[in-house]
Amino acid sequence: MCGIIGYCGQKDAVPVVLEALKCLEYRGYDSAGVASLCDGQLLISKDAGKVEEVIEKHKLATLPGHVAIGHTRWATHGGVTQSNAHPHPDCTGRLAVVHNGIIENNQELRRELTEAGHRFASETDTEVIAHLLEDELKSGRSLEQAMLSIAPKLEGSYAFVAVSLDDPDKIVGTRKSNPLIVGLKDRDYYISSDALAFAQYTDEVMALEDNEVVVLTEGAIEFLDPEGNKVAKQSRTLDQSWAVSDKGAYQHFMLKEIMEQAQVLERIVDQDRQQFTQIALDILRARQVIITACGTSRYAALVGRYLFSRVGKKFCDVVMASEFGYFADSVDKNTVVIAVSQSGETADVVEGVKAARAVGAEVISIVNRPNSILTDLSHQVIYLNCGSEIAVAATKSFLSQLAIFYLLAFAMVNSFDEAAASLAGLGGQISKTLDWNKSELIKLSDRLKDKDDAYYIARGINFAIASEAALKLKEISYVHAEGMPAGELKHGTLALIEQGTPVVVICPDDYTFAETLSNAIETKSRGAYIVGVSDRESDVYDSWIRIPEVDELLYPMVAVVPLQLLAYYIAVNRGCDPDKPRNLAKSVTVK
Ligand code: AGP
């Protein structure tokens, strides 16, 4: 997590950095800060709070400077305080560092540096980098030589950039297993965790490989390998359609992203049929197939598992990426690992994929963000093509993942085109679902907003939608919610149902309807307030979210959309910011 930005060039640096920080806030929003070089001074200003709050409170826009770095934080080491906010200076206050990732051996390094006389001002792991660089600069090294020299001492994964008065007018950066990308235009240079941060200025980018160091000065850029040799690089053009991050007329990105799902479905079928056929064959031939992912992406994988079994008659398992390593013993070269991730940089997924590759497994990734760490690590990549998703809560990326699994499952039985045609027609059904339910969902959110708990149940292919809908509710509204297979309820959770407890029952008129409804009746007999999500009406529902009748394998896609919207309205009704839920960040780049 955490967002890094640096700029040097002809413009005033701080305004560029501040605009970039707003774009990077999805990566973390506990605290923010900037450091700029101006007339022989290093100016650092930082605080706890969201980017806009810190900018306002410290009048950051007035900071001068032609070279500046900035940071938006998601706390790992050390609380959310001003002193733990980045940038971090060294003892002399002559250099400053911003960092994303974790320095795993920071305790040991901190001890050594403290014994050598360094004074620490924060509890962060990042600060060791500042003090290590300080020692190197004192011995007469340039900032880039200093960075090359300290990198081997750092364990963990990181991306960091630094500026120094002892080697002014430049920004130096390096990375290991965390993203850092350079943008260039005329004599202006940008460096960031995400090209989105500078996309308004340039679409020309250069990638920084692991362990390389990049040196930016006004009008010049240089890449060095770990031995300090110059590396020649070609720039490439950023796909600007990706960079759109405007809320438009919507109050929140989450609402915009929910509402654009009908169009997303139309775009998603624009896939390479040949590639799907090849991947489908690889899946069918593999000794075993493991899908690995986290959070919402894992719930999409669970739907994928049903689709593979039901359509392709291929059993596969879904392993939570944070647990993947514990199953590594059974992964081999006859295993296909499918990694699913919107961001393509979730640390647990990346780690699992590296482990799988190390033993010769074939890795296929399903990702949204182009040129992510995961795409570089995979043998084959399927893109979601749903555009940038800014809200922390995944919505349109989830729907896109479901659509990709649907296409893959049908590619296994040589019916890719038929599946693509079904998906292309589904956009209209999704729009219809939103139109039918909007006012009912607003009313329902009012009724449910003060509840402490909510339960979501479903069966078969729809079960993962129960889990996903519960995740949506809890992550943005802080209401405790659980999703589970309807048949599991009576094995324990039923004990928690009381008078008025909301139970959302996803029971489309398919092979799961009758049994799921029986389970709903069991909860209703114990006082539950039943919200039915179905195309078939029933007296059992206290409230009905009507979905259209579609093919039974498409119900997850139409059922999830109104439940995303319900979670959104409940969050807003409770006064929560659905785009920036507390304690969370969009990209989870730490394990
Ligand atoms: C989704 O609403 C969550 N914010 C979260 O569970 C997310 O899906 C998870 O962190 C995985 O992210 P990824 O898809 O980028 O790998």
Side-chain angles (χ1 to χ4, degrees), residues 44-285:
I44 299 180
S45 192
K46 59 183 188 172
D47 212 337
K50 291 180 179 161
V51 170
E52 295 274 12
E53 293 162 4
V54 178
I55 293 176
E56 186 59 28
K57 184 171 170 194
H58 293 273
K59 306 279 172 270
L60 292 188
T62 61
L63 269 188
H66 53 284
V67 174
I69 58 176
H71 189 268
T72 178
R73 179 172 187 242
W74 184 84
T76 56
H77 294 64
V80 181
T81 61
Q82 184 176 33
S83 55
N84 289 333
H86 299 218
H88 288 286
D90 65 341
C91 296
T92 67
R94 295 182 63 79
L95 74 85
V97 176
V98 291
H99 161 233
N100 172 35
I102 288 192
I103 307 300
E104 285 167 4
N105 58 336
N106 85 90
Q107 294 291 3
E108 193 185 318
L109 291 170
R110 182 181 272 254
R111 202 175 319 111
E112 287 168 17
L113 287 158
T114 308
E115 281 166 13
H118 287 272
R119 285 167 289 109
F120 278 76
S122 77
E123 304 154 301
T124 65
D125 54 341
T126 305
E127 203 183 334
V128 299
I129 302 173
H131 295 289
L132 287 169
L133 288 174
E134 177 187 347
D135 282 349
E136 298 294 326
L137 288 168
K138 270 191 195 141
S139 67
R141 290 198 162 89
S142 66
L143 193 51
E144 58 270 30
Q145 287 165 343
M147 212 170 256
L148 286 166
S149 159
I150 69 157
K153 297 179 188 162
L154 304 173
E155 288 168 19
S157 67
Y158 52 76
F160 61 89
V161 302
V163 289
S164 167
L165 287 174
D166 292 322
D167 193 1
D169 303 323
K170 67 166 69 156
I171 297 177
V172 180
T174 190
R175 62 170 281 236
K176 188 172 112 190
S177 299
N178 261 289
L180 202 55
I181 186 158
V182 173
L184 49 152
K185 172 106 183 195
D186 305 326
R187 298 174 64 80
D188 291 343
Y189 292 99
Y190 309 81
I191 184 163
S192 182
S193 315
D194 185 347
L196 200 63
F198 52 72
Q200 61 169 309
Y201 305 108
T202 183
D203 61 359
E204 194 180 352
V205 295
M206 282 181 165
L208 184 71
E209 300 302 327
D210 267 5
N211 305 313
E212 283 180 350
V213 165
V214 63
V215 187
L216 310 178
T217 47
E218 187 192 327
I221 181 168
E222 194 171 76
F223 289 85
L224 304 172
D225 71 14
E227 280 72 49
N229 305 308
K230 285 186 189 170
V231 182
K233 292 251 171 183
Q234 293 292 327
S235 65
R236 58 178 173 76
T237 306
L238 189 70
D239 175 3
Q240 283 285 17
S241 66
W242 169 259
V244 179
S245 61
D246 181 5
K247 278 203 288 252
Y250 291 101
Q251 199 189 342
H252 295 102
F253 278 109
M254 183 177 176
L255 184 59
K256 173 180 178 249
E257 288 157 7
I258 291 171
M259 291 302 181
E260 68 193 26
Q261 291 180 103
Q263 292 78 50
V264 160
L265 263 192
E266 281 157 25
R267 276 207 310 271
I268 202 161
V269 292
D270 191 16
Q271 297 285 347
D272 178 352
R273 185 180 191 283
Q274 289 281 91
Q275 185 201 23
F276 272 69
T277 308
Q278 184 53 54
I279 292 175
L281 279 175
D282 292 351
I283 291 171
L284 287 168
R285 283 184 193 137

Side-chain angles (χ1 to χ4, degrees), residues 293-298 340-346 349 374 391-395 397 401 468 471-472 475 584-588:
C294 299
T296 290
S297 296
R298 187 173 70 88
V340 190
S341 172
Q342 186 283 134
S343 61
E345 60 174 331
T346 300
V349 181
L374 200 53
V392 165
T395 52
S397 64
Q401 289 162 345
E468 169 57 9
L471 175 62
K472 284 293 87 86
E475 74 176 319
L584 301 180
K586 183 83 179 155
S587 285
V588 185

